[in-house]
């Protein structure tokens, strides 16, 4: 049976504090949703897009609860703690793929020897635009590669989904409509083709002179070697950083002149590279952001 590739659902961006993330993302022209807390000590302030993807800046509001949940087998908090210890408080720690059956994905990961641990089921309150609250419930299945301890892949099933009408949160001053591409780095990109292909359920891995890319149902995941990171993003990759690392997110905008004007008005430092605007990672922004007109 041929399986369709999963879509990217959201990206996990650990941050030292939700306030700093909200401030930085606001300066970049994003509309940031109200804070939300998980029952295991972490919190987020998401940025939603009209293509049904989103960014999840992830903070820790109760360290004791997060540490206790990790000891009890919560893969999400355990990997977040490990990322912060190894890479610092701000970064790009993982990608969530959308799925309609996380249990099936968990079984698939186990059969292929790539499960990162037990499934996670949880619910959290959601504040709606009219001031009322609802509950969102999720089921997660985790995948991992021992050669890549600093990047987590997982499948996210929305049991009780987030509100369908998020139009006010999906409108951004910088003109971003969605995510076009996510960019990882590795010194040997091809070594991770099988892992990413299995995670996405897409085994048609495209190889090129700077690395590889795999097509999800809604965007590309690229893995570039250090030369590719320099060539496309002017971003150096330290020799000591091996495995997969989250580096950059490429956003689709309708009018790049609008994006550039907003960044300039907000005194955000940026550069132009070919047809893209690049903003380097900063406190509250765990990856390089690239804006491209499409």
């Amino acid at each position: 049976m041929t399986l369709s590739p999963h879509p990217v659902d959201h990206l996990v961006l650990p941050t030292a504090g939700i306030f700093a993330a909200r401030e930085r993302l606001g300066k970049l022209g994003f509309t940031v949703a109200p804070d939300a807390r998980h029952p295991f000590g972490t919190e987020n302030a998401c940025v939603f897009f009209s293509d049904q993807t989103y960014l999840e800046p992830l903070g820790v509001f109760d360290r004791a609860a997060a540490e206790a949940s990790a000891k009890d087998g919560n893969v999400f908090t355990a990997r977040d703690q490990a990322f912060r210890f190894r890479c610092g408080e701000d970064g790009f720690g993982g990608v969530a793929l959308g799925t309609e059956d996380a249990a099936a994905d968990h079984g698939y990961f186990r059969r292929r020897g790539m499960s990162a641990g037990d499934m996670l089921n949880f619910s959290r309150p959601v504040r709606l635009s009219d001031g009322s609250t609802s509950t969102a419930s999720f089921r997660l299945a985790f995948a991992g590669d021992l050669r890549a301890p600093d990047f987590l892949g997982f499948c996210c099933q929305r049991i009780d989904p987030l509100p369908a009408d998020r139009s006010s949160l999906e409108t951004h001053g910088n003109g971003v409509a969605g995510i076009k591409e996510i960019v990882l780095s590795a010194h040997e990109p091809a070594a991770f083709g099988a892992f990413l292909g299995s995670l996405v359920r897409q085994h048609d891995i495209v190889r090129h002179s700077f690395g590889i890319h795999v097509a999800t149902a809604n965007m590309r995941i690229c893995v570039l070697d250090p030369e590719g990171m320099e060539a496309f993003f002017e971003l150096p990759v330290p020799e000591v950083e091996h495995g997969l690392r989250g580096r950059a997110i490429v956003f689709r905008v309708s009018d790049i002149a609008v994006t550039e004007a907003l960044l300039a008005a907000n005194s955000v430092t940026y550069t132009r590279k070919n047809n893209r605007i690049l903003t380097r990672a900063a406190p509250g922004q765990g990856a390089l952001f690239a804006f491209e007109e499409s």
Side-chain angles (χ1 to χ4, degrees), residues 123-137 160-164:
S123 300
R124 67 168 176 84
V126 178
R127 192 185 313 167
L128 305 180
S129 57
D130 61 4
S132 63
T133 59
S134 182
T135 299
S137 299
D160 294 315
L162 294 165

Side-chain angles (χ1 to χ4, degrees), residues 72-266:
D72 288 340
N74 184 319
V75 176
F76 186 79
T77 52
R79 290 293 293 263
D80 179 64
Q81 287 179 25
F83 180 92
R84 293 172 191 272
F85 180 81
R86 288 173 51 85
C87 303
E89 292 287 334
D90 284 279
F92 178 8
V95 58
L97 287 305
T99 183
E100 295 182 356
D101 191 346
D105 292 304
H106 178 65
Y108 176 80
F109 295 154
R110 291 191 64 180
R111 290 192 299 274
R112 297 188 70 87
M114 57 184 286
S115 172
D118 293 340
M119 293 180 62
L120 176 64
N121 296 276
F122 73 95
S123 300
R124 67 168 176 84
V126 178
R127 192 185 313 167
L128 305 180
S129 57
D130 61 4
S132 63
T133 59
S134 182
T135 299
S137 299
F138 306 88
R139 180 173 296 143
L140 310 183
F142 301 96
D145 186 319
L146 293 177
R147 302 166 301 169
D150 302 316
F151 197 80
L152 178 65
F154 59 99
C155 290
C156 176
Q157 181 182 0
R158 302 180 185 184
I159 306 301
D160 294 315
L162 294 165
D165 182 12
R166 300 196 301 257
S167 55
S168 62
L169 295 174
E170 294 170 351
T171 302
H172 305 282
N174 56 21
V176 170
I179 302 171
K180 180 177 182 178
E181 183 175 282
I182 65 176
V183 184
L184 316 178
S185 74
H187 286 274
E188 298 180 34
F192 296 100
F195 168 70
L196 290 174
S198 295
L199 173 66
V200 174
R201 301 289 187 97
Q202 163 65 278
H203 296 283
D204 185 12
I205 309 300
V206 178
R207 292 169 171 78
H208 52 82
S209 57
F210 288 118
I212 63 171
H213 70 254
V214 57
T216 73
N218 57 348
M219 69 183 72
R220 292 198 317 179
I221 299 176
C222 295
V223 187
L224 300 179
D225 62 19
E227 291 76 16
M229 293 304 305
E230 285 276 10
F232 291 107
F233 299 100
E234 299 178 344
L235 192 62
V237 175
E239 179 62 34
V240 296
E241 293 186 358
H242 292 277
L244 282 176
R245 290 289 187 101
R247 297 292 183 186
I249 304 167
V250 181
F251 298 99
R252 293 185 293 103
V253 301
S254 56
D255 187 342
I256 202 164
V258 170
T259 310
E260 186 168 20
L262 182 140
L263 296 176
N266 289 346

